[in-house]
Amino acid sequence: MPREKGLTLDLDADRLHSMYYYMVLSRELDRRIWILNRQGKSAFVISGQGQEGLQVGAAMALNPKTDWLAPYYRDMALVMAFGMTPREVMLGQLGRAADPGSGGRQMPSHYGHSGKHILTGSSPVATQVTHGVGIAWAMRIKGENGVVLTSLGEGSTNQGEFHEALNFAAVHHVPVIILVENNGYSISVPQSREMAVRDVASRAQGYGIPGVVVQGSDPLAVYQVVAQARERALKGLGPTLIEAKTHRFTAHSSDDDDRSYRSREELQEELRDDAVVRFREWLEQERLWDQEKEDALLKRVRHEVDDATDYADAAALPQAESIYDHVYGSSLA
Amino acid sequence: MAVLSYLEAIRETLRQELRRDSRIIIYGEDVGVRGGVFRVTEGLQKEFGEERVIDSPLAEAAIIGTAIGAAVNGLRPVPEIQFADFIFPAINQIIQEAARIRYRSNGTFSVPLVIRAPFGGGVHGALYHSQSVEAFFAHVPGLKVVVPGTPYDAKGLLAAAIQDEDPVLYFEHKAAYRSLKGEVPDERYIIPIGQADLKRQGQDVSIITYGLMVSYALKAAEELEKEGISVEVLDLRTVRPLDVDAILETAKKTGKVLVLHEDNLTGGLGGEISALISEHALFYLDAPIMRLAGPDVPAMPYSPPLEHAFMVTPEKIRDKARELAKY
C-alpha cells in the first residue's frame, strides 16, 4: 500500500479494523451468493468483488445520519458499510417478503433502504445520478447539513443523464459526490471502446467542477478524496466527480462468461491489485493486524454469512396476492 | 367570484399552493424571470424567490430526475415541461422511475410530483408544439394523468395533484389557455383525481371526452339541440384512473356513445373506453360505439389546411354525433 503513515487522517485503529471487516464481509457474502446461485437457490448474481476497497473507503467518509446514498448494483460493500446488514442484503438476494429494499420485487443487488438513507435504484443506468442530485438539492433548499454520494460504473457515464445531472448539480452548487467505479468493462466492452478519454474524471471539466482520479485498491486514498469532496459540498462549493480505478474480479453477472472477452492473464494481473489483500498487508505492516486477529475476523464473518443465509432462507416469500400492493399510496389501482 | 381564463386559473392555483405549502418548488425552462413561454408562472419568482421558482438548464431528463430526488427527500416539486412534445427525453424517468419507485420499494419510498405540460394543437405549432401525449402515460400503472377542460376544474384538479402522494401528469391545452374563461372561486378547493363530471345532460347520445374537446363537444351539443338531438357530455377530467362508473352510467343511459379525443385514434383512450363499455354495458347499446379522434399520422402538420384536417373541431363533432343519433 503506497501510503504514508501520516496520511491516515483521522482514522484510528478501530475505524481501520472496521474498514477491513466490511471489505472481508462483503467479499465473503458475495462468494456465498455465487454458491447459492450454483445451488439453484438464487437466480441471479451481480457482483462487486474487486470493488470493495473503494466502496468501504468512500462509506467511511460519510455520515449515515445526515448523508444519503444513491448507489448502483455492485455496491454491496458500500451499502453495508453505510448500515445495511448481511441479513438485509441476503433477504433481497433471495427475493423474500422481508427484503427491506423492495419486498422481493427487485432483482438482487438493486439496493435501497428508506430508513437508512439508501435510495431505491433501477436497472437503466445513470438515472440515480439525477435522483442523487435532486435529493442533495432538496437538502440545500431545506437547509440540511448533509451530502449525497451517488455511484455508477464508467460505462454509465456515457448516458445523457450523467451529463445532465452533473451540469445541473454544478449550476446549482448541489452538495453531491459522484463516484465512478471504473472497473474497465461495460459488461464485455473495454473502456477504450466506451470513451475516447483515459480518465472519466476529465469529464468534470465540461461542468466546471473538480474531477479527481484515485486508486480504488487504496481505501484510505478513496476515504481522503471523498472526505475532501464532502467538506467542499458542505461548504456550498458544489459537486465533485471522483473516479476510482478498480477491477471486476467476476463476470458481469451470473448470466455472463467473461472468458469470451477478457484473457485469464489480464484477470490474474488485476487480482494482484486486490484491495482486500493489500489493505490487510498494510495493516500488518503498520502492526495493526496479525494472524490471530485475522482468524478471529474470518470466524466472525463466516458466522455472519451463515446466519444471513439461514435467516433469509427461512424467511417467507411474498404472497402472490400482494402483487397489487403499493401501486399508489391511496387505494386507487 | 372572479372570472378567470384557464391559464389564470392555473397561475392563481400555483400561487395559492406556493403560499400554502413551503415544500412546493416550481422549476423548468424559462419559468422564472420570463414566467414561462406561455406566462403561466409569470410573477411567481418575484413573489416566492429564486429558491422556489427556478430556471433550470435545458435538459428534460434532469428536470424530472432531480424532481424525483427532491420529492423523495420531502419537497413537493411541480416541474414544467415547456411543451408536452418535449417530454420524451424524460419518459424513462417518468415511467421507469417516478411511476415505479413506490412499487419497486414495496411502499417505502414515494414520489409526490406534479409534471405540468402544455399540449394540443390548433395553434400553428406544427409537429413538435402540438402533440397530445396523454395515452402514453395513461398506459402506466403508478401514474395519474389529469387533463382539465375548464378553468374551474383546472384549479381543483391542480390542487388535488399537488397534494397527491404519487406522480401526476397535468396536461394543459394550449388553445384553452386564453380562449376558455369561467368562474373560479378564490378559496382553495379539491376536485378528486379520477372523478368524471357530467357537463351536460342529454338523452340521445353520450359524448365522452376530456380537455379542450369538452368545450368543443358542448358547442356541438348546443347546435344539435336545435335539430332536436339531445346530447350528454361526460368530461372525464382524469384519463388515469378512469371513472369507470360514470362511463358506464352514461353509456347505459343513452345507449349511444361517441368517444372523442384530439390524440391519435389508434391506441388512444377511445379504445380503452370502448372496451370498458363493451365488457360491461354491451346490451344497453343501441348502436356501435363510435370514435372521433386525431388521424393516424405521426404528428400535426403546420400549414393551415393540414392543421385543420388534423384538428377535431366542433363541426366534425356535430356531424359525427348526428350520424350516431340517426343510427
Side-chain angles (χ1 to χ4, degrees):
Chain A
M1 185 121 328
R3 177 140 301 282
E4 306 272 333
K5 209 172 181 179
L7 286 181
T8 55
L9 301 168
D10 50 345
L11 294 168
D12 59 20
D14 281 350
R15 296 264 284 166
L16 293 167
H17 291 168
S18 182
M19 287 174 75
Y20 183 54
Y21 158 72
Y22 281 117
M23 290 162 65
V24 174
L25 175 64
S26 182
R27 178 67 57 90
E28 294 303 318
L29 196 63
D30 197 296
R31 282 180 170 153
R32 174 61 56 85
I33 286 167
W34 280 96
I35 292 169
L36 294 173
N37 174 257
R38 298 304 187 234
Q39 290 176 336
K41 289 184 173 175
S42 179
F44 181 74
V45 186
I46 193 153
S47 194
Q49 286 188 41
Q51 302 180 202
E52 299 96 334
L54 79 93
Q55 292 177 13
V56 169
M60 283 289 151
L62 302 174
N63 180 352
K65 290 197 180 75
T66 57
D67 301 343
W68 278 69
L69 294 181
Y72 86 125
Y73 46 79
R74 297 203 194 277
D75 281 335
M76 185 199 286
L78 181 68
V79 299
M80 288 205 295
F82 202 73
M84 275 186 77
T85 66
R87 282 184 174 188
E88 289 175 334
V89 169
M90 202 57 109
L91 286 166
Q93 185 66 37
L94 298 185
R96 294 323 205 236
D99 158 29
S102 82
R105 290 173 173 196
Q106 292 248 50
M107 261 182 137
S109 298
H110 287 57
Y111 303 107
H113 199 307
S114 66
K116 294 182 178 175
H117 290 178
I118 300 171
L119 180 67
T120 169
S122 66
S123 302
V125 295
T127 56
Q128 76 273 18
V129 185
T130 64
H131 305 159
V133 170
I135 291 170
W137 186 37
M139 283 176 177
R140 221 205 60 197
I141 291 173
K142 293 194 290 181
E144 292 170 358
N145 205 33
V147 306
V148 177
L149 182 138
T150 181
S151 50
L152 68 165
E154 84 289 350
S156 306
T157 68
N158 295 319
Q159 290 281 5
E161 271 143 318
F162 170 78
H163 298 272
E164 291 190 19
L166 260 61
N167 183 60
F168 193 101
V171 169
H172 290 285
H173 308 293
V174 170
V176 66
I177 301 163
I178 302 96
L179 176 64
V180 176
E181 304 183 27
N182 184 353
N183 62 26
Y185 281 92
S186 188
I187 302 190
S188 66
V189 180
Q191 191 189 336
S192 60
R193 293 283 176 194
E194 297 175 50
M195 61 191 78
V197 291
R198 193 186 62 182
D199 297 324
V200 171
S202 66
R203 294 182 156 181
Q205 290 172 27
Y207 309 103
I209 63 171
V212 184
V213 179
V214 65
Q215 187 56 36
S217 57
D218 184 348
L220 299 179
V222 177
Y223 170 84
Q224 192 174 21
V225 298
V226 173
Q228 283 166 354
R230 186 172 184 277
E231 279 304 305
R232 202 184 126 76
L234 289 175
K235 282 182 192 155
L237 298 174
T240 303
L241 173 64
I242 296 170
E243 175 189 11
K245 306 280 192 190
T246 186
H247 311 290
R248 196 188 78 199
F249 290 160
T250 66
H252 164 68
S253 75
S254 51
D255 297 324
D256 180 35
D257 182 351
D258 62 327
R259 287 173 299 188
S260 64
Y261 54 82
R262 175 166 63 168
S263 75
R264 294 305 86 179
E265 293 71 30
E266 184 185 331
L267 178 60
Q268 284 308 314
E269 192 59 38
E270 290 185 44
L271 284 164
R272 268 197 273 277
D273 189 36
D274 184 348
V276 180
V277 174
R278 295 189 63 170
F279 194 62
R280 187 189 67 222
E281 288 170 355
W282 179 82
L283 286 172
E284 286 168 354
Q285 193 187 309
E286 296 293 311
R287 306 199 181 288
L288 293 166
W289 202 251
D290 54 30
Q291 192 58 44
E292 198 182 327
K293 286 193 173 72
E294 179 75 8
D295 292 343
L297 177 75
L298 287 177
K299 196 176 164 191
R300 175 187 169 191
V301 163
R302 279 176 192 142
H303 172 75
E304 288 185 55
V305 170
D306 285 344
D307 169 76
T309 308
D310 295 344
Y311 181 82
D313 195 39
L317 289 162
Q319 298 286 322
E321 302 74 47
S322 71
I323 191 168
Y324 287 107
D325 293 349
H326 306 301
V327 178
Y328 295 101
S330 57
S331 58
L332 285 171
Chain B
M1 209 184 301
V3 172
L4 300 181
S5 69
Y6 186 90
L7 182 150
E8 289 164 339
I10 294 167
R11 181 195 294 142
E12 291 315 308
T13 309
L14 290 173
R15 191 191 310 279
Q16 197 166 54
E17 294 296 309
L18 281 160
R19 284 178 184 162
R20 184 185 62 83
D21 187 343
S22 63
R23 297 173 302 168
I24 297 170
I25 55 168
I26 287 179
Y27 70 117
E29 296 153 11
D30 307 293
V31 302
V33 178
R34 173 68 181 149
V37 294
F38 289 99
R39 325 312 299 276
V40 174
T41 54
E42 188 170 33
L44 298 182
Q45 190 183 65
K46 203 171 176 192
E47 181 174 348
F48 299 99
E50 287 183 31
E51 284 282 291
R52 297 190 64 200
V53 182
I54 303 139
D55 282 317
S56 73
L58 202 170
E60 285 81 8
I63 290 172
I64 303 305
T66 55
I68 289 169
V72 162
N73 197 13
L75 296 185
R76 293 268 166 167
V78 187
E80 176 183 295
I81 296 294
Q82 196 163 72
F83 287 84
D85 315 63
F86 306 153
I87 206 165
F88 296 104
I91 206 162
N92 185 53
Q93 287 284 355
I94 297 169
I95 292 178
Q96 304 224 77
E97 305 292 341
R100 294 186 185 161
I101 280 179
R102 180 187 292 284
Y103 191 74
R104 79 179 187 219
S105 71
N106 205 27
T108 59
F109 286 98
S110 61
V111 184
L113 168 70
V114 182
I115 302 169
R116 290 182 39 252
F119 82 104
V123 295
H124 318 305
L127 285 84
Y128 301 105
H129 298 76
S130 301
Q131 293 171 55
S132 298
V133 302
E134 66 274 11
F136 294 110
F137 299 102
H139 183 63
V140 180
L143 297 179
K144 298 177 184 179
V145 184
V146 171
V147 195
T150 68
Y152 179 89
D153 288 347
K155 177 166 181 172
L157 284 166
L158 184 52
I162 288 172
Q163 76 170 32
D164 203 277
E165 294 301 321
D166 289 300
V168 180
L169 289 131
Y170 183 94
F171 291 121
E172 309 161 3
H173 202 293
K174 297 188 285 289
Y177 272 153
R178 289 174 174 83
S179 68
L180 294 186
K181 294 186 169 62
E183 291 195 332
V184 179
D186 293 336
E187 68 273 12
R188 182 171 189 263
Y189 58 94
I190 297 289
I191 294 174
I193 291 174
Q195 219 171 74
D197 184 40
L198 203 58
K199 287 289 194 288
R200 182 187 169 102
Q201 303 253 12
Q203 301 301 322
D204 301 328
V205 170
S206 298
I207 297 180
I208 301 176
T209 190
Y210 54 90
L212 180 71
M213 292 297 120
V214 173
S215 58
Y216 285 11
L218 290 169
K219 267 184 209 158
E222 272 173 38
E223 288 198 35
L224 290 168
E225 188 75 45
K226 293 173 199 158
E227 300 176 19
I229 298 169
S230 168
V231 176
E232 179 149 305
V233 177
L234 182 70
D235 176 4
L236 292 171
R237 300 198 290 199
T238 300
V239 295
R240 185 177 192 108
L242 286 169
D243 187 342
V244 178
D245 291 344
I247 290 168
L248 298 181
E249 195 178 319
T250 189
K252 289 175 181 176
K253 178 181 171 186
T254 66
K256 290 183 174 179
V257 177
L258 170 61
V259 192
L260 179 65
H261 50 70
E262 185 181 319
D263 197 0
N264 305 42
L265 180 73
T266 302
L269 265 299
E272 184 63 28
I273 293 162
S274 303
L276 284 166
I277 296 169
S278 304
E279 282 174 351
H280 303 292
L282 181 66
F283 298 109
Y284 292 85
L285 296 182
D286 299 320
I289 300 163
M290 290 188 181
R291 290 179 293 165
L292 181 61
D296 279 336
V297 298
M300 197 174 298
Y302 180 67
S303 194
L306 296 172
E307 183 183 58
H308 183 75
F310 189 112
M311 283 300 290
V312 177
T313 61
E315 295 71 35
K316 292 179 191 174
I317 299 165
R318 179 198 61 205
D319 295 347
K320 192 73 175 176
R322 187 193 292 123
E323 180 193 336
L324 179 58
K326 293 188 172 165
Y327 184 90

